[in-house]
Amino acid sequence: MDALAYNKELIRFESTSPLSNVEVSNYCEDKLKALGFAIERIEYDDANGVRKANVMAKKGNGTGGVAYFCHTDVVPADTWSIKEHGPFEPAVVGDKLYGRGSCDMKGSLSCALAAADRFSADELKQPFYITCTADEEVGYIGAKQVAEKSKLYREMVEGDARGIIGEPTILEVVYAHKGTTGFSAVSQGRAAHSSTDKGLNANLAMIPFLAEMKAIHDETLQDPAWRDERFNPPTISWNIGINDHTTAINITPPQSVCTVYFRVMPNMDAQILVDRARKVAEKCGLEFQAHGNGAPLYVDPHSDFVNEFLEIAGKTEAQTVTYGTDGAMFSDLKRKVVYGPGDIAQAHTDDEWITLEQLEQGTEMFEKLIRRWCT
């Protein structure tokens, strides 16, 4: 099978993050076994009791080699805009394959599978690993399970395998990405008709907290401590959300919620801002909860590993990106880059697609990397 055929089959699995990814994981396991991989599997129940699965696989001998990582979950497709076919009905139109996950990131996994098919296990003097995680789109939960529990992942780390986080980069070599951090603050009130004095408007306690969140927002735009010009944008993107859930203008809001989500860059401490927000919330009498976060990814762009990767990829300079990846959970793996087919601009869109050329080129590039570092 080529990458296009694999991608079509993978798209047909409705593996959105709220649902189980067990069926698509079973598919991956079956295909990997057929390609000569040894399998490790880790399952868990998410916070809503939904069963999830991670599949780790190894083809070849010894340790070291290449460790490829991808995720099998995709974002929901409730706003899918193409009338001719649904988001889980793959369709080739012109030079593009359409479908949810075609780009982010079942296309990348398809290229890795197609490339692996070009080598017998006996040819691989060092191994080629493929790891398929769950719940990347909702906080790298599956990757965290792999980092904590997988024997094959520990083997990758101890063998100093060369890591590839296969997210869409248009096959540009990426040496760094931003981290992700979030928290929420909640003010409790009491609903009543606003013409009476029986209610308690939850927004009143929230307003001074919002004022401080706005001050932090403005501060991070200018303060060099929260800027890194290697990224575009070079700021932490302090994003404030607010909601009081009222259904009519004459009801005192019984609850007011503020969420903040931001993206620190390497050598920045997100906890400083979380602690600052927590103190303000306590002063305002609000409930405060910090959410799971992912660390920035960074490797030395001038290292021997990155330079050799650039040479194989035919590129002159490594890049940065502003989105996060499962790589945030794989800090123990010292040599790694983000590298994969497809354009991140197409990820999560209501007409998601990947070009057939990127699928072909992605397969060729993964084959080159395996040949250089595993044979």
Side-chain angles (χ1 to χ4, degrees):
M1 291 173 63
D2 62 10
L4 176 59
Y6 278 121
N7 204 357
K8 285 181 176 179
E9 292 191 358
L10 287 165
I11 289 169
R12 293 187 184 279
F13 292 94
E14 187 175 348
S15 55
T16 57
S17 301
L19 304 178
S20 174
N21 76 325
V22 167
E23 286 191 12
V24 71
S25 296
N26 292 342
Y27 169 90
C28 292
E29 181 174 340
D30 289 344
K31 293 299 182 181
L32 289 163
K33 284 180 177 177
L35 293 174
F37 283 79
I39 303 297
E40 179 188 17
R41 185 170 174 130
I42 294 174
E43 295 194 10
Y44 65 96
D45 292 332
D46 69 14
N48 296 313
V50 178
R51 196 68 172 171
K52 302 295 176 71
N54 302 307
V55 175
M56 291 66 64
K58 176 185 179 181
K59 184 175 185 177
N61 304 298
T63 59
V66 174
Y68 168 86
F69 298 88
C70 68
H71 60 87
T72 56
D73 63 316
V74 299
V75 296
D78 299 336
T79 60
W80 189 255
S81 64
I82 301 175
K83 297 179 180 179
E84 290 75 17
H85 60 85
F88 305 105
E89 300 169 359
V92 175
V93 180
D95 64 346
K96 300 180 179 71
L97 171 64
Y98 290 83
R100 173 60 81 229
S102 58
C103 177
D104 184 18
M105 63 178 298
K106 292 176 176 178
S108 180
L109 170 57
S110 300
C111 292
L113 291 170
D117 195 18
R118 298 180 178 182
F119 299 88
S120 68
D122 291 340
E123 288 180 83
L124 302 181
K125 307 307 179 187
Q126 291 185 295
F128 180 46
Y129 301 92
I130 291 181
T131 297
C132 306
T133 67
D135 286 336
E136 188 272 349
E137 298 289 2
V138 291
Y140 322 127
I141 301 167
K144 184 177 181 181
Q145 293 274 329
V146 170
E148 292 177 350
K149 299 177 181 179
S150 169
K151 293 179 181 178
L152 275 183
Y153 175 71
R154 191 49 45 193
E155 180 179 296
M156 298 173 209
V157 172
E158 293 174 356
D160 197 23
R162 301 161 182 86
I164 301 171
I165 314 300
E167 292 280 0
T169 66
I170 329 177
L171 297 172
E172 292 289 338
V173 181
V174 171
Y175 73 92
H177 68 57
K178 295 182 179 184
T180 54
T181 306
F183 59 81
S184 59
V186 179
S187 172
Q188 301 292 354
R190 184 171 58 254
H193 197 288
S194 62
S195 66
T196 73
D197 60 0
K198 305 300 182 183
L200 176 62
N201 190 320
N203 288 328
L204 297 179
M206 181 62 72
I207 289 170
F209 180 80
L210 291 174
E212 182 61 18
M213 295 306 99
K214 171 63 163 58
I216 295 175
H217 169 274
D218 295 348
E219 177 184 321
T220 62
L221 293 178
Q222 304 298 329
D223 188 343
W226 301 109
R227 293 179 61 91
D228 188 331
E229 302 302 327
R230 295 173 295 183
F231 292 84
N232 182 24
T235 59
I236 67 170
S237 302
W238 183 265
N239 190 50
I240 305 168
I242 53 174
N243 200 327
D244 67 10
H245 304 284
T246 50
T247 57
I249 61 174
N250 61 348
I251 300 173
T252 54
Q255 186 181 78
S256 183
V257 179
C258 171
T259 59
V260 173
Y261 190 70
F262 63 104
R263 299 171 181 269
V264 295
M265 290 157 279
N267 300 316
M268 294 180 183
D269 186 357
Q271 195 61 41
I272 293 173
L273 295 178
V274 173
D275 290 344
R276 181 171 164 184
R278 187 190 303 274
K279 289 180 180 179
V280 177
E282 291 172 353
K283 182 179 179 180
C284 296
L286 310 182
E287 301 165 7
F288 185 90
Q289 182 176 5
H291 305 302
N293 59 73
L297 181 146
Y298 176 85
V299 296
D300 181 356
H302 306 296
S303 66
D304 291 342
F305 165 62
V306 173
N307 283 332
E308 188 175 4
F309 205 117
L310 288 168
E311 174 199 336
I312 300 168
K315 305 294 181 180
T316 58
E317 187 176 7
Q319 311 292 319
T320 66
V321 293
T322 57
Y323 53 85
T325 75
D326 272 344
M329 297 293 112
F330 300 138
S331 58
D332 288 342
L333 198 64
K334 299 307 178 187
R335 296 192 290 180
K336 57 184 176 290
V337 294
V338 185
Y339 181 80
D343 188 341
I344 197 65
Q346 301 308 322
H348 304 188
T349 58
D350 63 6
D351 64 343
E352 184 177 349
W353 51 262
I354 190 170
T355 66
L356 306 187
E357 181 182 42
Q358 279 285 292
L359 291 175
E360 293 169 1
Q361 291 180 353
T363 305
E364 295 299 321
M365 287 310 308
F366 288 154
E367 179 187 358
K368 285 184 179 181
L369 294 165
I370 296 168
R371 192 171 301 281
R372 172 71 72 92
W373 286 325
C374 299
T375 65

